[in-house]
């Protein structure tokens, strides 16, 4: 009987920390996956902004003075569109990306670079009622 009690005590000493470690690893993994997807989204928005016709990000009216330039993206990042009334309603709008200049920064057309900040919010316009997540990224565009 004493041997069984000792064996159970040893099992408890090993199993409890192992279960706690596994739970912590799973939670961290989910967070890293979401952050990785948002980072991929930032890279895709960077590419889209660099591909703009004309002066693109270096145009004086690139970011509207009356508000932010905003994009929406699907969960699988297949669709990234400028947010407007003409969005395809069939597309999943999981991410919302606000593009703005940092506080205290103003772009001068003689500058060889332009700094832009992205605010990414997800889930956006979805049926999920859970917590919203938010990340900020900065990008430097060079002429």
């Amino acid at each position: 009987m004493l041997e069984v009690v000792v064996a159970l005590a040893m099992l408890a000493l090993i199993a409890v920390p192992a279960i706690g470690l596994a739970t912590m690893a799973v939670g961290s993994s989910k967070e890293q996956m979401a952050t990785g997807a948002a980072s991929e989204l930032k890279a895709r928005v960077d590419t889209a902004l660099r591909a703009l016709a004309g002066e693109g990000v270096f145009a004086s009216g690139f970011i509207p003075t009356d508000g932010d330039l905003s994009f929406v993206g699907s969960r699988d990042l297949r669709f990234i569109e400028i947010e407007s009334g003409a969005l395809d309603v069939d597309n999943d709008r999981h991410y919302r990306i606000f593009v703005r200049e940092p506080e205290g920064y103003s772009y001068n057309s003689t500058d060889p670079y332009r700094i832009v900040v992205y605010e990414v919010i997800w889930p956006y316009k979805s049926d999920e009622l859970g917590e919203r997540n938010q990340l900020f990224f900065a990008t430097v565009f060079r002429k």
Side-chain angles (χ1 to χ4, degrees):
M1 178 81 162
L2 183 61
E3 290 175 358
V4 172
V5 171
V6 170
L8 288 175
M10 289 177 61
L11 180 64
L13 286 174
I14 294 170
V16 171
I19 291 171
L21 205 67
T23 303
M24 186 175 68
V26 168
S28 177
S29 175
K30 285 181 182 179
E31 185 176 307
Q32 286 177 345
M33 285 175 42
T35 304
S39 181
E40 174 67 19
L41 180 63
K42 180 235 180 236
R44 290 188 184 209
V45 172
D46 273 358
T47 302
L49 292 178
R50 289 179 199 276
L52 288 173
E55 293 184 39
V57 294
F58 296 101
S60 60
F62 164 66
I63 298 176
T65 55
D66 60 345
D68 299 321
L69 176 63
S70 60
F71 291 81
V72 291
S74 63
R75 182 185 310 259
D76 61 3
L77 303 179
R78 285 185 56 210
F79 302 102
I80 299 173
E81 304 172 284
I82 293 178
E83 189 170 30
S84 69
L87 288 174
D88 185 348
V89 294
D90 293 335
N91 291 352
D92 171 32
R93 290 179 263 175
H94 186 70
Y95 295 98
R96 185 173 190 194
I97 308 100
F98 293 103
V99 179
R100 58 176 65 110
E101 289 182 335
E103 263 185 58
Y105 169 80
S106 65
Y107 171 68
N108 184 340
S109 62
T110 60
D111 290 343
Y113 60 88
R114 185 166 197 173
I115 301 171
V116 176
V117 173
Y118 303 145
E119 176 187 357
V120 181
I121 299 171
W122 77 95
Y124 171 69
K125 289 215 177 187
S126 71
D127 296 335
E128 299 172 24
L129 296 176
E131 275 187 41
R132 286 224 168 141
N133 299 293
Q134 181 179 32
L135 286 174
F136 290 89
F137 296 101
T139 296
V140 177
F141 291 97
R142 302 200 182 280
K143 286 186 178 177

